[in-house]
Amino acid sequence: MSAYEDLMAYDRTTQALASVAGRTGWDQETVMPEGAAELRSEEMAALEAVLHARRTDGRIGDWLAKAEAPDEKGAAILRELTRSYERNTKVPEKLATDMARHTSAGQGIWAKARAEDDFASFAPTLTKMIDLKREEAACLASGGDLYDALLNDYEPGMAGAELQGLFDRMRPRLVDLRARVLAADAPARLDREFDEAGQMALTAKLAETFGYDLTRGRIDKAVHPFSSGSGTDVRITTRTSPRDPFNCFYSTIHEVGHACYEQGVRADYALTPLGAGVSMGVHESQSRIYENQLGRSRAFTGWLYGQMRDQFGDFGVADEDAFYGVVNRVGSGFIRTEADEVHYNLHVMLRFDLERQLISGELEVADLEDAWNARFEADFGVAVDKPSNGVLQDVHWSFGLFGYFPTYSLGNVYAGCLYQSLREAVPALESDLARGDTAAATTWLRDNLQQFGGLRTPRDTIIHACGFAPSEEPLLAYLDQKFGSLYGV
C-alpha cells in the first residue's frame, strides 16, 4: 500500500477508538451509576493513554512526509492529520492521561457541588484543572498566548484578540437593544405546570420535525443538554422543567441542530478527520439557526402553539401572536442556556473574559465567584442568588473546556450570516415554517454546509455556504429588526 493508504487505515482505527471514548462519556452523563465515578475515571484515563499513543506514533510523521493526496478530500484529510499530529506530539502522555482522569472525576464533583450550591467544594478540583490546562497550553503555545493555544482546539485559526475585537463591536449594540427592550412592556410568562411525559412526547415530535433521524440517534435526559457522536450514532439529551416547557423544547431543537450536522456529513467521510463538524463555532451555527432563526420565528411558533394546545390543552395563552411574544420574552435571567437572544451573547462574553483571566493568571479560583457575581450584576442588573445560578451553572470548566465558550457567540455570528443567505435561497421559508415544514431550510443547510464536515477550514466553510466572509452585521441587524418590531422600540 502507499503511504497515504497506510495512514488512512491506521487513522480509521484511531477514529473508531475515539468514538468508543465518546460513547463512554455519553454513558457517564446519562445512565452511569453514581458509584461508578472512580472506576470510570480510570477507564477514561486508560482510553486516553491508548489514543494518545496512537496519535503520537512516529509512523504518522513518516507517512505524512511521504503521503500524496489523491484528491481534494485527501488533501483536507492530510491537512487535518498534520494539525492533529503536530498538536498531540507536543503534549506528554502523562499530562494527557492526567487530564483525562481529572476531567472524568471533575464532572461528578461539579455536579454534586452544583446540586448543593457549594462552590468551595468544587474550587480545589477547578484549581487543579486550570493548572493542568495551563501546562497543556504551554506545551502547545510554543511561547505564544496560552489561551489562543486552547481556543484553537475548538476554533482552528481563531485568536483571542480577534474575538475580543468582535465582542467589542457587538457589546454596545447589544447593550443598547437590551436597554430599549427592557424599558418596554414585556409579555406575560407561562403560568401553569406542564407534565414531563407531555414535554418529552412533544420533544420527540420536534426532533423529527427538524430532521433528526431517530434510527441513527436517541433522546435522553441529562443535567446539561448535549449532543454526542457522529455518522450513524448521534445522540442528544434534553431536560424538563415543570413550569418552563420551552427549556425542554428549545434545548432539544438546539441539540438537534448539532445532531443534524453530524448526521448530514457525507457517509464516505466516516471515521476520517473530515467525518464530524469542522469547529465548535460552525457547529454552534447549526444549533442556533435551528433554535432561533427557525424555531423561534413568528411562522414556526404559530405552528408550535397549535402543537402545544393539542398536547396540553388551553395553557393560558390567547393566540399565536401572544405566544410568539411569550416564546421570545426578554428578561435578565441567570442561566445562559435559557437566555433570550438579546442577552445570550452577554452571557458568553462574561465567561470569555473570566476564563481568559483564569488561564493568564490574572484571576485566581479563590476570587472567581466574587468576580462572576460582580460582572453579572453589572451586565444584567440582577444580583446572583446562588452558585447554581452563577459560577456553577455550566459543566464546561469541570471538563477542562477552556476556549470553548466564545465559540457559542461565534456560532451566533455565523448563524446570522447563514440565515441571510438562507432567506434569499428559500423564498417560501415563512410559509413552510408556518406549516411546521422545515425541510427546505434544513436541506439547504445540509447541502451547503453540513455535508462537507471538516473539508474546509471554519472560515472557508461559512464563506462557501454564504458567499461572503463572516461578519457580525447580519446577526445584529436580525436582532434589531426582530426585537425592535416585537417590542415596538
Side-chain angles (χ1 to χ4, degrees):
M1 292 196 298
S2 69
Y4 178 83
E5 292 169 328
D6 285 338
L7 181 58
M8 292 303 97
Y10 181 88
D11 186 63
R12 185 177 180 85
T13 300
T14 304
Q15 297 285 342
L17 288 169
S19 291
V20 172
R23 210 80 67 242
T24 304
W26 170 87
D27 176 88
Q28 179 172 333
E29 286 282 308
T30 53
V31 296
M32 185 190 80
E34 183 179 346
E38 185 175 347
L39 174 61
R40 181 55 48 85
S41 175
E42 291 301 317
E43 291 170 347
M44 294 298 281
L47 279 169
E48 180 57 35
V50 172
L51 285 167
H52 187 271
R54 290 190 63 84
R55 289 166 175 162
T56 57
D57 191 306
R59 289 176 295 174
I60 297 176
D62 294 337
W63 286 325
L64 286 170
K66 300 173 183 175
E68 295 182 3
D71 50 25
E72 181 188 24
K73 171 187 169 184
I77 287 173
L78 293 180
R79 179 196 72 218
E80 291 304 307
L81 284 176
T82 298
R83 186 171 69 86
S84 173
Y85 182 67
E86 290 176 349
R87 184 218 184 276
N88 286 302
T89 53
K90 292 177 181 178
V91 179
E93 180 181 344
K94 182 179 185 304
L95 176 58
T97 55
D98 284 349
M99 285 193 297
R101 182 180 291 109
H102 189 65
T103 294
S104 182
Q107 190 275 335
I109 295 168
W110 164 81
K112 185 173 186 292
R114 183 179 183 273
E116 297 174 355
D117 276 308
D118 182 12
F119 178 70
S121 67
F122 177 59
T125 298
L126 181 58
T127 298
K128 183 177 179 182
M129 178 61 71
I130 291 169
D131 288 343
L132 289 169
K133 297 306 291 186
R134 285 174 178 163
E135 185 179 351
E136 179 189 38
C139 294
L140 298 172
S142 302
D145 185 87
L146 296 184
Y147 187 78
D148 285 357
L150 300 177
L151 174 62
N152 268 264
D153 276 345
Y154 309 108
E155 196 67 20
M158 184 55 66
E162 184 177 348
L163 285 170
Q164 190 68 65
L166 173 68
F167 294 163
D168 286 347
R169 294 191 300 273
M170 293 174 65
R171 190 190 300 268
R173 287 179 61 177
L174 292 172
V175 169
D176 175 68
L177 178 60
R178 172 186 182 274
R180 287 187 283 121
V181 167
L182 291 183
D185 293 335
R189 298 178 185 273
L190 293 179
D191 188 23
R192 59 156 283 180
E193 292 198 355
F194 298 80
D195 66 274
E196 181 176 285
Q199 290 187 47
M200 292 303 292
L202 187 47
T203 277
K205 185 168 188 176
L206 284 167
E208 292 188 277
T209 294
F210 276 89
Y212 182 46
D213 182 358
L214 283 164
T215 68
R216 298 187 290 152
R218 54 182 292 133
I219 305 172
D220 294 274
K221 290 181 62 181
V223 173
H224 193 106
F226 68 98
S227 174
S228 173
S230 61
T232 58
D233 189 348
V234 185
R235 309 178 185 193
I236 67 169
T237 66
T238 190
R239 60 187 174 199
T240 59
S241 173
R243 302 193 70 84
D244 183 12
F246 297 148
N247 190 321
C248 178
F249 300 153
Y250 284 98
S251 290
T252 299
I253 296 172
H254 180 99
E255 299 307 333
V256 163
H258 285 303
C260 285
Y261 187 4
E262 294 294 336
Q263 289 185 337
V265 177
R266 291 177 176 175
D268 63 317
Y269 288 5
L271 297 180
T272 79
L274 311 186
V278 66
S279 74
M280 290 317 305
V282 176
H283 236 301
E284 195 67 11
S285 76
Q286 301 307 284
S287 61
R288 295 299 280 181
I289 197 171
Y290 276 53
E291 175 189 358
N292 293 326
Q293 283 90 343
L294 302 180
R296 295 183 193 271
S297 66
R298 172 60 183 85
F300 188 79
T301 57
W303 176 83
L304 179 58
Y305 176 71
Q307 299 299 307
M308 285 190 65
R309 286 182 65 89
D310 290 346
Q311 183 66 55
F312 301 108
D314 182 359
F315 56 93
V317 179
D319 55 31
E320 294 177 5
D321 286 333
F323 184 73
Y324 175 57
V326 173
V327 169
N328 289 285
R329 190 180 192 278
V330 175
S332 296
F334 295 115
I335 307 300
R336 173 187 61 83
T337 56
E338 300 169 11
D340 57 76
E341 292 178 81
V342 174
H343 283 93
Y344 186 87
N345 293 298
L346 296 173
H347 282 273
V348 173
M349 292 172 191
L350 178 155
R351 291 154 174 77
F352 169 69
D353 288 342
L354 293 180
E355 71 176 13
R356 282 185 86 193
Q357 293 171 25
L358 286 169
I359 294 301
S360 70
E362 296 175 55
L363 177 65
E364 296 299 328
V365 170
D367 302 315
L368 175 60
E369 186 173 12
D370 288 342
W372 179 294
N373 292 347
R375 171 67 179 272
F376 188 89
E377 187 164 8
D379 281 3
F380 294 85
V382 180
V384 176
D385 58 348
K386 55 186 179 181
S388 58
N389 279 337
V391 69
L392 283 177
Q393 70 178 265
D394 294 299
V395 71
H396 301 59
W397 290 339
S398 74
F399 278 125
L401 302 181
F402 290 87
Y404 193 122
F405 275 123
T407 66
Y408 288 130
S409 281
L410 193 58
N412 281 333
V413 169
Y414 292 161
C417 299
L418 290 164
Y419 184 57
Q420 178 176 303
S421 296
L422 171 61
R423 291 186 67 185
E424 295 171 359
V426 184
L429 179 62
E430 289 191 8
S431 60
D432 288 349
L433 294 176
R435 300 191 306 274
D437 182 357
T438 70
T442 55
T443 298
W444 186 88
L445 289 166
R446 184 178 65 247
D447 290 349
N448 289 278
L449 187 148
Q450 294 170 2
Q451 67 163 317
F452 299 112
L455 182 66
R456 302 179 178 90
T457 65
R459 179 180 173 83
D460 286 345
T461 295
I462 299 301
I463 291 173
H464 179 269
C466 297
F468 57 87
S471 160
E472 72 277 8
E473 285 301 320
L475 173 66
L476 295 175
Y478 155 78
L479 293 174
D480 282 338
Q481 190 283 324
K482 176 176 181 176
F483 290 96
S485 175
L486 182 59
Y487 279 83
V489 296

